[in-house]
Structures are given as C-alpha cells and as structure tokens.
Amino acid sequence: MRIAFFDTKPYDKPSFEKYGAKHGVTFKFFETKLNEDTVDLVNGFDGVCVFVNDTVNSKVIDSLYEKGVKLVALRCAGFNNVDMNHAFGKVHVLRVPAYSPYAVAEHTMALLLTSVRRIHKAYIRSKDFNFSLSNLTGFDLHGKTVGVIGTGRIGRVFIDICRGFGMKVLAYDKFPVPKLDNGDTIRYVELDELFCNSDIISLHCPLTDETHHIIDEAAIEKCKKGVVLLNTSRGALVDAEALLQGIKSRKVGAACLDVYEEESDLFFEDNSGHIMEDDTLARLITMPNVLVTSHQAFLTEEALENIAQTTVENIIQMASTNQCPNEVCTKNGTPEDCKTGKCF
Ligand code: NAI
C-alpha cells in the first residue's frame, strides 16, 4: 500500500518507516500540509495520512474521492479538521483514539507547575546568574480546586495527577462517568458551578459546535479572580480575544496554552524570522503570566511509537477487511466510532 503522508516533521519518520516496513505500507513523506492546493499530490496513492492542521474539508474530500483515494488515516485523536458529514459515503476516516493520555496530562501539569512556581522566569534568571527571588512567589497546589472539563482518557489521568497533589476536583462532562464522582474530593457539577468555584480550570474535551469557545467572555466573568486556565485540548475551545481581555483586567491570573485557535499556519514551524501577524497571539505571548507551547503535549517517545503502530494497523485492517474499530463514522450527524464496516 502507498500512503501520502502530509505535514511531515523529522520526528514522524523513524516510527512510521519502522511500522510501515513491518506491515508492507510505504509512506511518501510530504512536508506540505494537505489542503485544496496540495490535494493533487495524492494521485496514484491508496490513502493519505494527516495530522491536526491538515485540511480535510468538503473540497479536499471530493478531490480524494474523484482520484479514488478512499482512506484518510488521521495520526491523532481529534477529527475536528475533517468535514465528517461530507466524508460519509466518500472516504473512510480512521484515527488513533488513544496513544498516550499520560503524555498530554503530564504536559498539562508541567505547564501548571511552571506557571504557578514561575519556573520559566527562574530558568532565564539563573542563566544570567541572577539569583534574586523577587516576584517569584508562587502558590501551593495542595488544597486548591481544579475544574476539569472533559473526563475522558486524558481528563481522568489529569485528575489522578491532581489528586496526587492533594487538589480537589470539580468535573464537568456531557457524558459523566458516575463511578468517578466520590461525593467528596471529585464531584461532577454543572459548568457554572465549575466556573465559579475553581482556582484552576483545565480543558480536556473535544472541539465540537457545542464546545467552541466554551471559555468566552461570559465564562471568564463567572470565574474566580486569579483563575489559572489550562488548554491542552483544542485552540478554539477558548475565545483568545476574551482571554486576552481577562488577562489585561487581572481577572485571569495565568493561562497555559498548548493550542491556539489560529495555530494552523504558525504552530510546528519556526517563525522566528518572521513578523507575527496575529496580534492577539503576539500580545498573549508578551504577558508574563501566559505560557505557550506549540501543540507539544503529545510529543513523547511512547506516544510517537503508539501513533505510528496504531495508524499502520488501522490502514492494514481497513485494506484487508474493509472495517476498522478506529473508523470515525457520521450517522445521523453524530460522529461515532464505526464498529460495523457496513457504512458504505
Ligand atoms: P476522550 O474522547 O477520551 O475524552 C473526551 C471527553 O470529552 C469525553 O469524556 C466526552 O464525553 C467529553 N465531552 C464531549 N463533548 C463534551 C461537551 N460538550 N462538554 C464536556 N465534555 C464533553 O478524548 P481524550 O483522549 O481524553 O482527548 C481529549 C482531547 O485532547 C481531544 O479531543 C483532543 O482535542 C485533545 N488532544 C490534544 C493533544 C495535544 O497534543 N495537545 C493530543 C491528544 C489529544
């Protein structure tokens, strides 16, 4: 099988070449992202392998279909960059539902600790032999309340980590896991209660129409003064302009962002020699209490191995049996994992 691999980064190749060779899948690595302008590159391939910032919209899907390419293998969990309703009946969309929830949850805690203990400032100071402690006062996480929105794989690992720090958890999920709620240190609550009573809020839900800008001006208004916002999920969960205003007004005490609404043309690339066109991101980055990493939370050796292995297995399974448990399927407008392979 020949697969066109888009948005290739050097760290992608070793694991995909290893598992591809093992299972007879050949990858052609393109540095460019998949979009309407680059879709012609797929001529002669059996499928495409894409990541979070490739564009799989209706036009791209129609082009793939016309060229006989019926397999879109996402090497990530989220599929908000795929027009799922349009994909139904035209291309099979496969994903990697879980590769290392620990990678993302641990990165979230790394950002939180860096922020509240001012490690980013201390690191730069000590490089310059400045050993002053002025303005480095942090706060204990022990005893604080963390609001966790989305209690799936990553959210639950993050809750475990927070509990290890002695934090109390207020959880919100559209589909709660009742056994998680112990009525004491971990409680499911409505969103408003979570906003009002959390010292720290962390987002671990997918980006959907419902969750788009779940953190907006109104939500920030309800939060405690000094709230710390963590987003390692998807950029558009947060209205970045509202966040900036929240930071400027001192309502938001700190923000740690591994994702950003308009990240697709910026993140994963070296933009250090360019003028930053995005004024909101530029202003956020200048803030002493905002930490930005560029969609890095997944990036561990373990996660890269798991991503490559599952993606290759998905491709092989779909090619040989026309079904795959990791297919994302849209039935009645609701994306769900397809277990039947009888969709079209
Ligand atoms: P998951 O599917 O295991 O959990 C998502 C949870 O969100 C589920 O419990 C679901 O019920 C809940 N949810 C769905 N709609 C909701 C709504 N309207 N309001 C509240 N909760 C809702 O997914 P997982 O593996 O925990 O990943 C979570 C997110 O993390 C992914 O959607 C992805 O966007 C992001 N992610 C980020 C990475 C990074 O490198 N920064 C890497 C991997 C995932």
Side-chain angles (χ1 to χ4, degrees):
M1 292 208 55
R2 291 188 72 231
I3 303 292
F5 192 105
F6 287 89
D7 201 10
T8 309
K9 295 288 179 285
Y11 50 76
D12 290 319
K13 285 188 185 175
S15 48
F16 273 90
E17 278 172 341
K18 179 172 114 184
Y19 286 102
K22 211 167 158 184
H23 295 281
V25 178
T26 307
F27 291 102
K28 169 86 177 168
F29 294 102
F30 295 108
E31 282 185 21
T32 183
K33 293 184 179 61
L34 178 64
N35 56 43
E36 291 159 37
D37 298 327
T38 60
V39 69
D40 282 345
L41 290 168
V42 311
N43 279 321
F45 286 94
D46 301 304
V48 295
C49 182
V50 297
F51 196 48
V52 292
N53 290 323
D54 291 291
T55 304
V56 192
N57 61 15
S58 58
K59 285 187 180 161
V60 169
I61 290 167
D62 286 342
S63 288
L64 293 174
Y65 184 67
E66 282 160 24
K67 295 171 199 304
V69 176
K70 289 195 172 178
L71 196 121
V72 175
L74 291 157
R75 52 182 191 278
C76 54
F79 45 87
N80 52 286
N81 54 333
V82 181
D83 184 338
M84 284 308 305
N85 287 321
H86 201 79
F88 185 72
K90 292 196 170 81
V91 290
H92 293 286
V93 180
L94 318 177
R95 69 172 183 143
V96 183
Y99 36 89
S100 174
Y102 311 103
V104 183
E106 289 172 14
H107 189 80
T108 312
M109 181 48 86
L111 287 172
L112 176 59
L113 282 172
T114 302
S115 174
V116 302
R117 301 309 303 269
R118 320 284 188 249
I119 304 294
H120 52 308
K121 294 187 166 301
Y123 175 79
I124 291 170
R125 280 189 195 183
S126 55
K127 284 275 173 199
D128 203 25
F129 305 110
N130 173 356
F131 301 121
S132 155
L133 296 183
S134 302
N135 298 318
L136 294 185
T137 309
F139 62 80
D140 292 4
L141 291 180
H142 186 269
K144 296 292 183 300
T145 299
V146 60
V148 177
I149 301 180
T151 55
R153 297 175 190 89
I154 296 169
R156 288 206 296 273
V157 174
F158 185 66
I159 287 173
D160 284 347
I161 294 172
C162 290
R163 287 293 306 129
F165 277 79
M167 300 165 83
K168 296 190 184 102
V169 178
L170 296 178
Y172 173 79
D173 196 298
K174 194 177 172 189
F175 306 102
V177 184
K179 65 175 191 236
L180 197 64
D181 188 325
N182 62 16
D184 181 19
T185 49
I186 307 175
R187 287 193 303 118
Y188 276 108
V189 293
E190 290 304 317
L191 256 190
D192 273 3
E193 188 179 341
L194 184 150
F195 288 142
C196 291
N197 295 324
S198 299
D199 303 296
I200 296 146
I201 295 176
S202 195
L203 300 173
H204 299 289
C205 57
L207 175 61
T208 63
D209 290 345
E210 268 176 301
T211 60
H212 183 263
H213 286 185
I214 196 166
I215 303 294
D216 59 6
E217 192 185 340
I220 290 172
E221 189 58 39
K222 289 172 196 154
C223 288
K224 276 184 161 181
K225 185 166 167 37
V227 65
V228 178
L229 288 175
L230 309 171
N231 187 8
T232 55
S233 204
R234 282 294 180 268
L237 295 174
V238 175
D239 178 344
E241 192 52 44
L243 173 62
L244 179 58
Q245 294 314 317
I247 298 270
K248 283 165 105 172
S249 70
R250 282 46 171 189
K251 178 78 185 218
V252 176
C256 302
L257 311 172
D258 185 52
V259 286
Y260 176 68
E261 189 162 8
E262 304 298 334
E263 72 179 46
S264 62
D265 292 331
L266 297 168
F267 281 17
F268 304 113
E269 308 296 338
D270 179 359
N271 287 286
S272 56
H274 299 272
I275 304 295
M276 173 54 65
E277 299 282 355
D278 187 322
D279 288 350
T280 308
L281 181 61
R283 190 76 175 96
L284 280 170
I285 286 175
T286 65
M287 296 292 182
N289 52 354
V290 175
L291 286 179
V292 176
T293 51
S294 57
H295 210 133
Q296 179 191 334
F298 76 99
L299 195 62
T300 65
E301 286 172 14
E302 292 81 357
L304 289 176
E305 283 282 315
N306 291 341
I307 288 169
Q309 182 174 5
T310 306
T311 305
V312 170
E313 285 171 1
N314 285 347
I315 292 168
I316 290 298
Q317 210 168 4
M318 183 50 90
S320 53
T321 65
N322 204 34
Q323 55 183 299
C324 172
N326 293 331
E327 176 161 21
V328 195
C329 201
T330 296
K331 286 179 183 163
N332 308 319
T334 311
E336 55 182 34
D337 288 334
C338 179
K339 310 289 179 220
T340 65
K342 304 278 186 290
C343 314
F344 58 94

